[in-house]
Amino acid sequence: MLAPEREWTRELARTLCEPGVELLRAGKRTESVETDLAEVAACYGMLARSFVVPTGVFVRVEGLSPQAEGELDFVLLKGGDLRLDQAEALENLLARLRNQEMPLEQVRAALDDVRSMPPGLSPAVSVFGYAVATVGLGMVFHATVPAMIGYAVLGLLVGLLRVLTTRYLPAFGPALPVVAGVLAAGLAQAFAGPLLHEEPQYLFIAPLVGFLPGVALSMGPIELSLGSTLSGMSRLAGAVNVLLLLAVGILVGVQSVDARPTGHPAPELLGEWAGWAGAVFFLVGFALHFSTPLRAMPWMVAALLLARTVQTAGEAVGGVALGALAAGMLLPPMAGWVHRRHRIPELLIFLPCYWVLVPGASSLEGVSELLNHQTATSLGTLVNALVTLIAIGLGIVIGAHLGSRPRVRLGPAREPETDREQ
C-alpha cells in the first residue's frame, strides 16, 4: 500500500471511532452504531466494520484497492451520557456525513463542538423541570393533592442535588444515587405522615426517576437478542448496579428516620384522568430538565399518549403483562419512524415512554423492601415488577426486529489527496 493511502485509511478509521463512542453515550444500541458507521464510511467510498465493547469502539476500514490491507483503530469510551440536545446535534451531524463527504479534520471539529455544547437552559429551569417531572410521574402511580405537594418539594431538592453535582461536582457523581435515596427516603419518613397524611413509600420513589436506568434496561435485552452479548450484559449489569445503589440509599434513609403516623384518613385518589395528565406533566418536566429540543416536543407527546393508549388497551384485554408486551412492541418502530422522518433521536421518543410505562419504581421499591427484610411484601412487589419487565422487554425485542434494516450503499472510491486539498 502506498504511504498516503495507508495514512488516510488509518485517519478515517480513527475518525469513525469518535462518532461511534458518542453514539454509545447518546444511548444507541450496538447494531445501530455499527450501521451508522458503515453508512458514513460508504460515503467516502470505503468499507468499514466496527466492533463495540463496553469500554469503546473498534473500527476497521478496508484499503482503497483490493490488494491493500485495512487499518484498525480504537477509541476509549469516556464521559457520561450525552444530553438530549447534544444527541440531536450528533444525529444532525451524522445525517450530513451520510449524504456528503466532509474533510476528516472538519468532522473531528464538529464532534468537539457537540461535546462542548453548553446546556440550553439555566440551572434554575433544570431544577424546576425535574420537580415537574417528579410530580408527573407521581401522578401516574399515586395521585392525591397532598402527595403532589410532597412530590414537588422532594423533586426540587433532588433536582437541585443533581444539577449541583452534574455541573459543579462531577467527581461525586457515582455516589449521587445513594445520597439522593437517603435524602428522599429520610424526608418522606419524617414528614409524609404528619404533614401530608400519606404513607412515605408513595413519596420517595418518584423523585428518584432521573436515576432509573431506562436506557440500559431496555437496550440490554435488545442487544442480547441481536447477538451483542458484551454490550448487552454490560448495560444490564450497570442497570442493576444503579438500582442497588438507589435501594441502599433508600434503606439507609428508612432505617435512619422512623416513619411518623399519619393521624388522619388517607387522602382520596384523583380520577383516572390524573394518570394521563401526569404523563404529560412528566414529559414537560423531562424536556426542561434534560434540555430537550422544542421541535421534538409534539412528537414526544404524541408518542407517549399513543404508548399509554396501547398499554391501557392491552391491560383491558389481557391484563398487565399483555399491556406491557404491546407497549414494548410499539416503542422501537415508533421511535425509528419518527427518527427517519424528522431526524429526532430515537432516545427522545424512547426514554420518556419507557420511564412512564415500565414499573421501574415498583422494582426499586421491592429491592429496598427486600434489603429491609420485609420479605413477604418485597417478594410480591418484585415478582409483579419482574413479570412486567420481562413482558415489556420481550415486546421491545420483537419491536426492534420489526424495524427495517437500512442497506449500505458504497459510494465512489476517492484519492486521499482530495481530502487534504479541501
Side-chain angles (χ1 to χ4, degrees), residues 78-148:
K78 296 180 180 179
D81 296 338
L82 292 182
R83 298 191 315 272
L84 296 182
D85 56 340
Q86 291 175 305
E88 185 192 37
L90 179 62
E91 290 286 355
N92 292 335
L93 174 61
L94 285 173
R96 291 174 56 195
L97 292 175
R98 293 190 191 99
N99 296 316
Q100 68 179 53
E101 282 191 30
M102 291 176 58
L104 300 184
E105 295 83 358
Q106 186 176 341
V107 175
R108 291 191 288 269
L111 286 171
D112 289 337
D113 292 340
V114 172
R115 299 185 187 104
S116 60
M117 282 180 60
L121 299 173
S122 67
V125 174
S126 182
V127 173
F128 174 75
Y130 195 87
V132 174
T134 300
V135 172
L137 191 71
M139 290 175 65
V140 172
F141 291 109
H142 181 76
T144 68
V145 174
M148 291 171 62

Side-chain angles (χ1 to χ4, degrees), residues 44-266:
Y44 290 88
M46 308 293 285
L47 293 174
R49 293 177 293 174
S50 55
F51 179 60
V52 178
V53 295
T55 55
V57 176
F58 288 93
V59 174
R60 178 180 175 83
V61 177
E62 300 300 333
L64 289 170
S65 63
Q67 296 79 20
E69 297 180 359
E71 291 293 332
L72 176 69
D73 212 321
F74 172 79
V75 169
L76 189 65
L77 178 63
K78 296 180 180 179
D81 296 338
L82 292 182
R83 298 191 315 272
L84 296 182
D85 56 340
Q86 291 175 305
E88 185 192 37
L90 179 62
E91 290 286 355
N92 292 335
L93 174 61
L94 285 173
R96 291 174 56 195
L97 292 175
R98 293 190 191 99
N99 296 316
Q100 68 179 53
E101 282 191 30
M102 291 176 58
L104 300 184
E105 295 83 358
Q106 186 176 341
V107 175
R108 291 191 288 269
L111 286 171
D112 289 337
D113 292 340
V114 172
R115 299 185 187 104
S116 60
M117 282 180 60
L121 299 173
S122 67
V125 174
S126 182
V127 173
F128 174 75
Y130 195 87
V132 174
T134 300
V135 172
L137 191 71
M139 290 175 65
V140 172
F141 291 109
H142 181 76
T144 68
V145 174
M148 291 171 62
I149 297 173
Y151 297 144
V153 173
L154 292 178
L156 284 172
L157 293 175
V158 175
L160 179 62
L161 184 64
R162 279 177 59 90
V163 170
L164 289 176
T165 303
T166 303
R167 301 196 181 199
Y168 307 110
L169 298 170
F172 292 93
L176 184 57
V178 178
V179 176
V182 173
L183 176 67
L187 291 177
Q189 289 282 104
F191 300 109
L195 295 183
L196 303 176
H197 315 302
E198 289 281 3
E199 295 295 332
Q201 63 268 24
Y202 290 136
L203 299 183
F204 61 66
I205 297 299
L208 304 177
V209 57
F211 301 97
L212 296 178
V215 174
L217 287 173
S218 57
M219 296 302 176
I222 293 177
E223 294 185 334
L224 288 174
S225 71
L226 296 175
S228 302
T229 306
L230 284 176
S231 181
M233 290 300 298
S234 175
R235 289 185 191 266
L236 289 178
V240 172
N241 179 63
V242 173
L243 287 174
L244 288 176
L245 289 175
L246 287 169
V248 168
I250 292 173
L251 176 62
V252 172
V254 169
Q255 291 187 340
S256 301
V257 181
D258 294 330
R260 299 181 182 179
T262 60
H264 289 80

Side-chain angles (χ1 to χ4, degrees), residues 20-45:
V21 296
E22 299 307 319
L23 287 169
L24 290 178
R25 292 178 61 203
K28 296 201 74 171
R29 63 179 185 266
T30 299
E31 182 191 32
S32 297
V33 173
E34 294 171 350
T35 300
D36 288 341
L37 297 183
E39 289 177 343
V40 173
C43 184
Y44 290 88

